Amino acid sequence: MAATRTASRAGEIFTTLEYGPAPESHACALAWLDTQDRHLGHYVNGQWLKPEHRSSVPCQDPITGENLASCLQAQSEDVAAAVEAARASLENWSTQPGAFRAQHLTRLAKAIQKHQRLLWTLESLVTGRAVREVRDRDVPLAQQLLQYHAVQAHTQEEALAGWEPMGVIGLILSPTFPFLDMMWRICPALAVGCTVVVLAPPASPTPLLLAQLAGELGPFPGILNVISGPASLGPVLAAQPGVQKVAFCGAIEGGLRLLIQEAVWDETMRRLQERMGRLRCGRGLDGAVDMGARGDAARDLAQRYVREAQSQGAQVFQAGSVPSDSPFFPPTLVSDLPPASPCTQAEVPWPLVVASPFRTAKEALAVANGTPRGGSASVWSERLGQALELAYGLQVGTVWINAHGLRDPAVPTGGCKESGSSWHGGQDGLYEYLRPSGTPAWIPYLSKTLDYDSFGLALPSALPAGPETGPAPPYGLFVGGRFQAPGARSSRPIRDSQGSLLGYVAEGGAKDIRGAVEAAHQAAPGWMSQSPAARAALLWALAAALQRREPNLVSRLERHGVELKVAKVEVELSVKRLRAWGARVQAQGCALQVAELRGPVLRLREPLGVLAIVCPDEWPLLAFVSLLAPALAHGNTVVLVPSGASPIPALEVCQEMAALLPAGLVNVVTGDRDHLTRCLALHQDIQALWYFGSAQGSQFVEWASAGNLKPVWVNRGCPRAWDQEAEGAGPELGLRAAWTKALWLPMGD
Amino acid sequence: MATQGRGEAGAGGRRKGSTEAGSGSQLCCGLFDMSAHQQGTELDLSWISKIQVNKPAVLRRAEQIQARRPVKKEWQAAWLLKAVTCIDLTTLSGDDTASNVQRLCYKAKYPIREDLLKALNMHDKGITTAAVCVYPARVCDAVKALKAAGCDIPVASVATGFPAGQTHLKTRLEEIRLAVEDGATEIDVVINRTLVLTGQWKALYDEIRQFRKACGEAHLKTILATGELGSLTNVYKASMIAMMAGSDFIKTSTGKETVNATFPVAIVMLRAIRDFFWKTGNKVGFKPAGGIRSAKDSLVWLSLIKEELGDEWMKPELFRIGASTLLADIERQIYHHVTGRYAAYHDLPMS
């Protein structure tokens, strides 16, 4: 009976030549779930943790809806237990020689290799993703990540001297992450000597499996701990004593936006539709399927977007029809969206491609850069010159030329703008989990009394403050290359260490900040396009000017109560800083060699844009120069708030800058520091903010930065040794002063 | 059915002749409408002047295609039988004689053991290989053997100074005419690689045009010898020129170069075939040859055709595999599918 059925089908298939099912057996994934009686807890300190009296959520096959297991939901006690385990193992782990940690990571890579089938079937089963994507890409890359970071750990003592591991790292995963994104973060953290607590979303067994593989390696069970629970536990994790950093892994891999030059529009669309028509949707565990499903929420989102786009007049191409109650959504090409329609502005959901035409490369660049996102992009062109120009101009973390989606552990991947400012992979990724040796540990202390609505809101009234001690020149605000009167038309008194009046400086406010930022933006394109040599020359010229002005600067510092000897050192060091950064600027960027690609990957260091710096009160000249020099060297334009107590030395430097630097490159605004900090933090068009001041101010700056995810650097009220090489001119400043862009250049004719 | 008269071939200048060649003859028995030829077009160098092949992307696609479309169980058996019907069963050796050519022809007629086909209920579908392919001097033997076996499987002959093509044009053309006279209905010609490497596209077009004319009623399959063309961009250009000049098939290689049928080269040729179809409406066939030995390979080749050109190309009128040992491996796989056992060497007849 069975034989005849087989036979009749062969004849039929011989005519239709259709594809058949090619199911990957997931028996081993189910067997693994059975070892836990289909009841998953948390994996902490090398053991399964299944506390009593916890709620649980079902883990379902997103395609069949079948219940695979139930997963316990963590409560704050469980978070605390996991952090405690990570803390307990931190000392042992971080003090091991790098070579030893390297061996441990290599063993984990081997463990993954041994159990790769379990890993890929489990991941595909519970996420619905196409198994070939997990099997052919994610699992090998996970092993490469471990091996790459093992090598980094091996050379850590030499290559990363002067840096130490941060400590316990909290990692919060979003509900739609692939397990690989967890690997991108835990590998560098473990390599440099941190220990990790992962808060996985409810019902995600793969991180638990990885934790088990790591835990069963033996000597260091507590370095990787995984708990599952709702996102609301995130703040609980962040507030645990000992947690030094919390990394988020947001939702990723959305739809795509495609810009096509009008001249090749028809041809490209035709080819695209042809290719999309051959993509196969289906159960993730089928080896012949290109696209799986991502659950009902993703499908509904795509459906809503398509309906809305259609109502706004768009053309929609869908390869094949999928019934509306199916868990799958076909690859969809949307075109002819009117430029101003809401869909054009909105983020494109998976698995959609929105195509729009452009006329010139310049226009394409403007459109591509005109979004708040800055993750990755690819440029397709046969003209390498043009492709390179576009690639350099794109404000995104990764650009592939004539390729897309390649990843390698050696290449830093990150983004700019709202795509975040952290890096995974490469050297840049390691620094995410390191801090300069001797930096005080971060205490997760948030002042409950800080009122974000009123911090720095009120401007103190400036009143006449008695007789001036000597004839002081009236200092204005240094904006757009010249001294200007402040918008408020009032001044604030500056006193010396004895309390007698030194003079008045301008009382800057919101309007002055706005003007300064505008001036900085105007100067930005010119400064960015300067060659490193030209930037260096200007910094050296400024150094020479400071040297000439030394007696004057020393006397200003003395009047602020600085001893003569110290004042002399301060000026000398300031000159030295400018020279040093001028020299360093010329040795930036490098080419990387990676496995997956024939050809180089360029690691470029890109200016942040307009950088706002609130200088500390101490070292009024040296701190000002130490912060200014790396910012300028890396091609940024700057808005600075100088020392509040002693702003005059900085303003003296401005007099030199007025003659030397292009207008708007450096802008210095004096006034009430809290008020100016508030104005800067809430300005959306400042690309980064460095704040050296009070703990409260730091807290405010971090809170405000959430508004547009601008990178911030705050000192949390801790003073810095600006006269020491490490803290005053260390590599940390250079790292903070630019962002990294990776440019993939495949070769071959 | 195509109606354009053969007598007009060589006059040139006609394009978009009737293009439905073979689409009405969805036969399973290796019988094709031999009067339908791809007429080609006038030489239009603008079709190749701007072409630039993105090699890294082609290599990536080639790598993916091998892992993304596994075909299993009954599907595998049916696909393997389809592959059998697309084989140009080939012997191109110095020591070929009438006896081994005869054996080859018998194998072409009965490629899979009858009882195995019966088990699959495919015994009455007339499954034979698409053609037998021999040197010009062996065409007579093959024609005779096939006639004796009572079947009309076409005989293909290589020609034009195979495999290097380094002989005078006059003798190359004469070689075609003689093979056709002996009864070959398909001619596999090799192109003059010198013309490609030196960029003489017009001369290449003219030569293939003359091959076309010399073939008369016979099908023209043009071997590009891609392993010797230097770059994928040249492969695309040579493909396009061969199609414009009226080739019915373009074929990857002779099997005698150091690099033969590879997936990257195939992707470039298939894209050229698709572009030519989009421009003219003419369907040109594709024949990989050289190094295709395993049943698994043949499945990948079929899925590659399905993905790049679609189901309508997955038939012997538009797809051939040039191979000699492939058939044996396919038969072994069918044996395993039917019996659940792996065959011993002596279980299956040799070709």
Side-chain angles (χ1 to χ4, degrees):
Chain A
M1 194 57 211
T4 40
R5 213 184 62 229
T6 306
S8 66
R9 295 206 69 177
E12 183 195 321
I13 300 163
F14 183 80
T15 317
T16 62
L17 286 171
E18 65 191 5
Y19 289 119
E24 184 94 7
S25 164
H26 57 284
C28 66
L30 295 180
W32 180 75
L33 291 172
D34 284 338
T35 62
Q36 297 301 312
D37 302 320
R38 304 285 181 123
H39 182 66
L40 296 173
H42 317 293
Y43 197 84
V44 172
N45 208 16
Q47 286 165 2
W48 286 95
L49 181 68
K50 293 184 184 176
E52 307 263 305
H53 313 300
R54 301 280 191 271
S55 61
S56 63
V57 295
C59 170
Q60 291 171 327
D61 180 332
I63 291 163
T64 62
E66 182 197 346
N67 252 342
L68 299 169
S70 65
C71 300
L72 284 181
Q73 297 304 286
Q75 289 183 2
S76 18
E77 299 95 295
D78 309 327
V79 178
V83 171
E84 190 43 49
R87 275 178 68 174
S89 41
L90 176 66
E91 193 178 331
N92 195 2
W93 179 245
S94 61
T95 52
Q96 293 294 332
F100 191 86
R101 282 201 299 275
Q103 277 177 21
H104 196 75
L105 292 182
T106 311
R107 287 176 63 210
L108 181 54
K110 292 253 170 67
I112 287 182
Q113 190 180 20
K114 280 180 206 149
H115 300 288
Q116 48 180 312
R117 169 171 288 272
L118 170 58
L119 191 57
W120 81 56
T121 48
L122 182 70
E123 172 78 355
S124 174
L125 178 67
V126 299
T127 62
R129 291 169 61 217
V131 67
R132 61 146 190 85
E133 199 177 299
V134 185
R135 180 193 61 204
D136 298 345
R137 198 186 72 144
D138 290 9
V139 172
L141 192 48
Q143 290 175 56
Q144 287 166 22
L145 275 165
L146 283 163
Q147 271 146 7
Y148 173 83
H149 286 98
V151 173
Q152 303 306 309
H154 193 88
T155 57
Q156 187 180 357
E157 281 90 355
E158 298 154 39
L160 295 167
W163 296 81
E164 62 184 19
M166 280 181 165
V168 177
I169 306 293
L171 172 60
I172 300 171
L173 301 173
S174 84
T176 56
F177 77 102
F179 87 94
L180 194 59
D181 277 281
M182 173 176 135
M183 298 302 289
W184 278 103
R185 288 157 179 84
I186 63 171
C187 290
L190 294 177
V192 299
C194 295
T195 58
V196 183
V197 175
V198 178
L199 174 60
S204 47
T206 322
L208 290 166
L209 170 61
L210 283 164
Q212 190 190 355
L213 290 177
E216 288 177 357
L217 287 180
F220 304 98
I223 57 171
L224 177 60
N225 306 279
V226 175
I227 47 178
S228 333
S232 58
L233 278 179
V236 178
L237 175 57
Q240 291 296 319
V243 172
Q244 291 296 306
K245 174 172 181 144
V246 175
F248 286 91
C249 164
I252 34 130
E253 281 199 77
L256 292 175
R257 217 171 264 285
L258 194 60
L259 302 172
I260 304 171
Q261 194 153 30
E262 268 176 343
V264 291
W265 172 268
D266 291 340
E267 187 82 334
T268 311
M269 291 297 272
R270 182 174 191 181
R271 283 162 198 274
L272 202 56
Q273 291 178 2
E274 177 76 17
R275 184 82 172 79
M276 286 173 78
R278 309 234 181 253
L279 293 178
R280 301 186 73 225
C281 293
R283 184 164 162 76
L285 281 167
D286 190 316
V289 148
D290 295 305
M291 277 172 47
R294 292 205 181 170
D296 293 348
R299 187 203 55 208
D300 294 345
L301 194 67
Q303 223 148 31
R304 255 201 317 278
Y305 186 96
V306 167
R307 260 189 235 124
E308 212 165 300
Q310 270 167 330
S311 74
Q312 287 160 18
Q315 294 287 319
V316 172
F317 167 84
Q318 272 179 339
S321 61
V322 171
S324 62
D325 57 341
S326 134
F328 303 110
F329 197 83
T332 304
L333 179 62
V334 177
S335 56
D336 296 345
L337 260 180
S341 69
C343 276
T344 314
Q345 309 300 319
E347 194 156 351
V348 182
W350 180 89
L352 269 59
V353 176
V354 175
S356 20
F358 68 87
R359 293 167 299 175
T360 62
K362 200 176 160 193
E363 186 182 47
L365 198 59
V367 174
N369 283 340
T371 75
R373 290 167 288 277
S376 59
S378 52
V379 178
W380 296 81
S381 171
E382 286 307 339
R383 301 224 297 276
L384 187 61
Q386 185 167 55
L388 271 175
E389 180 156 33
L390 279 169
Y392 269 80
L394 281 166
Q395 288 163 12
V396 293
T398 305
V399 184
W400 298 280
I401 289 182
N402 291 339
H404 192 87
L406 306 178
R407 302 288 298 267
D408 191 278
V411 180
T413 309
C416 59
K417 297 193 266 189
E418 288 186 9
S419 295
S421 55
S422 62
W423 303 96
H424 316 295
Q427 283 278 316
D428 303 69
L430 298 175
Y431 289 115
E432 294 289 322
Y433 304 98
L434 291 167
R435 60 174 174 225
S437 304
T439 312
W442 176 50
I443 297 135
Y445 165 76
L446 287 182
S447 164
K448 296 273 188 318
T449 56
L450 179 63
D451 180 0
Y452 295 118
D453 290 336
S454 67
F455 175 85
L457 191 61
L459 198 58
S461 308
L463 300 170
E468 296 178 37
T469 48
Y475 292 105
L477 304 169
F478 183 66
V479 172
R482 59 193 178 85
F483 285 95
Q484 301 186 1
R489 293 285 186 272
S490 58
S491 304
R492 58 191 289 121
I494 300 297
R495 296 176 190 284
D496 65 16
S497 47
Q498 266 76 49
S500 45
L501 192 67
L502 275 180
Y504 287 90
V505 296
E507 183 73 64
K511 276 187 185 160
D512 304 305
I513 291 292
R514 193 189 68 191
V517 173
E518 266 173 33
H521 270 294
Q522 276 174 13
W527 184 241
M528 280 183 198
S529 60
Q530 291 279 331
S531 71
R535 283 187 222 149
L538 219 53
L539 286 175
W540 282 32
L542 191 58
L546 247 61
Q547 220 163 10
R548 279 196 303 276
R549 205 179 254 264
E550 187 185 353
N552 167 300
L553 288 168
V554 169
S555 83
R556 296 284 168 193
L557 285 169
E558 274 191 287
R559 291 179 66 186
H560 279 301
V562 181
E563 270 181 52
L564 176 65
K565 218 171 96 189
V566 179
K568 277 193 166 159
V569 168
E570 184 165 358
V571 176
E572 258 168 49
L573 275 175
S574 301
V575 171
K576 198 178 146 198
R577 294 274 190 272
L578 285 167
R579 292 236 162 88
W581 284 106
R584 277 186 217 176
V585 71
Q586 304 206 38
Q588 284 183 40
C590 61
L592 309 163
Q593 197 63 49
V594 300
E596 211 191 324
L597 174 93
R598 285 184 65 235
V601 178
L602 303 184
R603 173 184 175 270
L604 307 174
R605 296 287 288 161
E606 299 278 302
L608 301 163
V610 174
L611 172 58
I613 303 173
V614 181
C615 299
D617 265 343
E618 72 269 15
W619 295 100
L621 177 67
L622 179 60
F624 173 82
V625 172
S626 297
L627 289 164
L628 176 68
L632 290 182
H634 284 87
N636 302 290
T637 57
V638 192
V639 177
L640 288 127
V641 176
S643 162
S646 338
I648 290 171
L651 291 166
E652 288 289 317
V653 177
C654 289
Q655 298 198 335
E656 291 296 337
M657 293 197 286
L660 281 171
L661 302 187
L665 177 55
V666 177
N667 306 277
V668 177
V669 180
T670 51
D672 181 72
R673 287 163 57 80
D674 285 355
H675 181 64
L676 295 176
T677 300
R678 181 185 185 88
C679 297
L680 290 169
L682 295 179
H683 199 302
Q684 296 278 92
D685 210 11
I686 289 174
Q687 277 69 46
L689 174 56
W690 296 353
Y691 178 85
F692 294 88
S694 64
Q696 287 213 328
S698 301
Q699 187 180 336
F700 177 83
V701 164
E702 292 200 314
W703 170 81
S705 77
N708 65 350
L709 293 179
K710 84 171 63 132
V712 295
W713 180 20
V714 298
N715 70 335
R716 297 199 173 81
C718 303
R720 232 179 135 82
W722 294 100
D723 54 333
Q724 301 299 309
E725 187 67 17
E727 293 194 11
E732 189 183 14
L733 288 117
L735 282 174
R736 302 263 190 188
W739 58 278
T740 301
K741 176 158 146 184
L743 188 56
W744 294 67
L745 290 166
M747 67 182 183
D749 176 30
Chain B
M1 255 341 78
T3 53
Q4 206 133 16
R6 293 293 313 130
E8 294 168 348
R14 292 171 314 283
R15 40 174 304 186
K16 292 195 188 182
S18 180
T19 57
E20 297 307 305
S23 68
S25 54
Q26 191 109 7
L27 307 179
C28 311
C29 56
L31 256 184
F32 322 120
D33 180 355
M34 298 310 285
S35 68
H37 284 298
Q38 200 270 118
Q39 295 301 313
T41 66
E42 277 195 82
L43 180 65
D44 185 344
L45 287 175
S46 75
W47 290 6
I48 62 167
S49 58
K50 279 194 238 154
I51 286 299
Q52 185 69 48
V53 176
N54 180 347
K55 185 173 172 187
V58 171
L59 294 181
R60 254 195 317 282
R61 173 97 177 116
E63 200 177 301
Q64 289 165 356
I65 198 81
Q66 299 175 57
R68 289 195 176 176
R69 294 288 184 267
V71 181
K72 298 189 172 174
K73 304 218 164 82
E74 301 100 294
W75 285 268
Q76 190 180 85
W79 278 51
L80 286 175
L81 290 178
K82 177 56 80 175
V84 168
T85 66
C86 293
I87 291 179
D88 277 2
L89 197 60
T90 304
T91 181
L92 293 170
S93 306
D95 57 0
D96 285 341
T97 63
S99 68
N100 80 313
V101 168
Q102 187 188 11
R103 200 165 62 222
L104 187 82
C105 290
Y106 189 82
K107 188 69 183 172
K109 167 88 163 123
Y110 303 104
I112 305 289
R113 238 170 59 178
E114 186 76 6
D115 59 320
L116 299 177
L117 288 178
K118 259 202 184 112
L120 292 167
N121 200 19
M122 295 292 288
H123 55 288
D124 52 359
K125 297 276 169 39
I127 291 194
T128 67
T129 68
V132 291
C133 182
V134 293
Y135 268 121
R138 298 272 73 79
V139 170
C140 282
D141 297 337
V143 170
K144 212 167 88 188
L146 286 169
K147 205 170 193 177
C151 68
D152 41 19
I153 297 172
V155 174
S157 169
V158 297
T160 69
F162 184 91
Q166 299 282 20
T167 58
H168 294 297
L169 180 59
K170 194 173 166 194
T171 56
R172 282 188 274 153
L173 290 169
E174 193 58 23
E175 210 181 345
I176 296 175
R177 290 192 200 102
L178 292 172
V180 172
E181 263 177 44
D182 283 352
T185 52
E186 303 186 1
I187 305 293
D188 289 26
V189 300
V190 292
I191 61 163
N192 185 339
R193 277 79 109 183
T194 313
L195 298 179
V196 174
L197 293 170
T198 53
Q200 302 181 60
W201 304 112
K202 171 85 171 66
L204 181 65
Y205 175 85
D206 290 341
E207 269 199 23
I208 301 175
R209 265 285 176 210
Q210 293 185 60
F211 296 161
R212 161 85 278 171
K213 196 173 167 191
C215 281
E217 293 294 316
H219 268 209
L220 174 64
K221 303 201 206 109
T222 305
I223 304 172
L224 304 179
T226 52
E228 295 177 351
L229 297 187
S231 72
L232 291 177
T233 304
N234 271 353
V235 169
Y236 182 96
K237 291 181 175 178
S239 303
M240 206 43 119
I241 294 285
M243 289 187 285
M244 285 195 262
S247 306
D248 295 298
F249 270 80
I250 51 176
K251 176 173 167 184
T252 57
S253 34
T254 61
K256 310 286 184 191
E257 293 97 43
T258 45
V259 181
N260 290 294
T262 65
F263 292 116
V265 158
I267 287 167
V268 172
M269 291 174 72
L270 293 172
R271 294 279 166 96
I273 289 173
R274 190 179 70 182
D275 288 349
F276 188 74
F277 173 61
W278 281 354
K279 282 178 198 291
T280 68
N282 293 0
K283 289 179 184 161
V284 172
F286 174 65
K287 177 176 172 185
I292 304 172
R293 294 196 182 87
S294 72
K296 189 162 178 280
D297 281 350
S298 68
L299 293 175
V300 177
W301 281 102
L302 275 171
S303 67
L304 178 64
I305 302 298
K306 190 176 169 79
E307 292 296 308
E308 290 292 330
L309 294 174
D311 293 353
E312 67 223 275
W313 256 269
M314 297 171 78
K315 57 188 179 190
E317 292 88 333
L318 289 169
F319 177 58
R320 298 287 179 84
I321 301 173
S324 41
T325 55
L326 169 64
L327 184 55
D329 193 50
I330 291 182
E331 201 177 6
R332 295 169 75 80
Q333 294 304 321
I334 300 274
Y335 182 97
H336 177 248
H337 175 74
V338 170
T339 66
R341 293 158 184 259
Y342 290 104
Y345 181 71
H346 58 258
D347 282 333
L348 299 168
M350 66 182 287
S351 59

